[in-house]
Amino acid sequence: MSSRDWSTIGVHAALPRWVRWAIPPLLIPLAAIAWLIFRWNDIPLRFGHPSVTRTPLHVFGFVIFAEGLATLLVGMVLAIWYGSRRPAFQSPIEKIPLALAYLLSLVFTAVGLTPVANIPAWLVAVFIPVAALAIIVYVVKGQGEADGVPDTTPDECWNFAGVYRNPNDPSLFVRAHVGYGYTFNMANPWAYRIMIGFFAGIALLVGFLIWALR
């Protein structure tokens, strides 16, 4: 890899214009929380399951979960942007976490609004597979589009069915050899920190949701 490739990696690069689309999945749950607060007196003392009462945890649990998931996924988008070679960050693939942020934010916010909004269960059930299929088609199409950026990762640094480890490569993320999207450069110490932080965040959110709905 040339020094010119290395110079495209860094925290001082300007964010792309499409990053503005990372804002709605963060605002959707917050708007739902504001609406639930405004309609608090309209929420039945018991709703859904007979054991579910009108408490802040029961009412806001799913919406807070949605906000947490969206925050983690938007954070991953920013990590890929700042940690990958800038010229390689041109295909639609890097926007996969952003698409998932929209999907999960909308679904769990919709579930969280059921105490005051009559959202049909069938609508959510139909929306999830249709949206997931759209994301899959988008990913497959984006992966097949040539972006004109050569792969500068050495073949000898790829092992174990797609694990990349190159201490001489400053990249945190590189284009995956197996499957779609990006993968970590496991020689970069930040790779382990981000992976642990991401999955710890998921575990904490799931634990919070279970505790809130107990």
Side-chain angles (χ1 to χ4, degrees), residues 176-196:
H177 270 198
V178 178
Y180 300 103
Y182 286 79
T183 188
F184 284 100
N185 175 12
M186 299 308 296
N188 191 316
W190 277 101
Y192 297 96
R193 297 169 188 171
I194 292 178
M195 289 178 64
I196 292 173

Side-chain angles (χ1 to χ4, degrees), residues 34-165:
W35 194 52
L36 287 170
I37 293 174
F38 179 75
R39 297 286 303 276
W40 182 263
N41 291 331
D42 297 330
I43 300 175
L45 294 178
R46 293 186 180 274
F47 57 91
H49 193 274
S51 63
V52 178
T53 58
R54 189 181 65 184
T55 65
L57 283 176
H58 284 153
V59 173
F60 299 118
F62 275 107
V63 185
I64 293 174
F65 183 74
E67 178 68 22
L69 287 178
T71 300
L72 286 175
L73 290 168
V74 169
M76 187 61 71
V77 171
L78 296 177
I80 295 174
W81 168 254
Y82 282 120
S84 64
R85 298 184 190 91
R86 202 65 61 240
F89 202 87
Q90 300 297 329
S91 76
I93 301 303
E94 76 280 354
K95 304 181 188 70
I96 296 173
L98 187 57
L100 290 175
Y102 270 91
L103 173 60
L104 297 177
S105 179
L106 287 170
V107 169
F108 285 104
T109 298
V111 174
L113 287 176
T114 53
V116 292
N118 186 20
I119 301 176
W122 66 264
L123 183 61
V124 178
V126 170
F127 173 77
I128 293 175
V130 170
L133 179 61
I135 293 175
I136 293 173
V137 172
Y138 175 82
V139 169
V140 173
K141 179 181 177 182
Q143 187 73 6
E145 294 178 354
D147 53 17
V149 178
D151 184 4
T152 58
T153 56
D155 290 336
E156 62 271 18
C157 294
W158 290 93
N159 51 62
F160 298 112
V163 176
Y164 180 69
R165 184 179 180 84

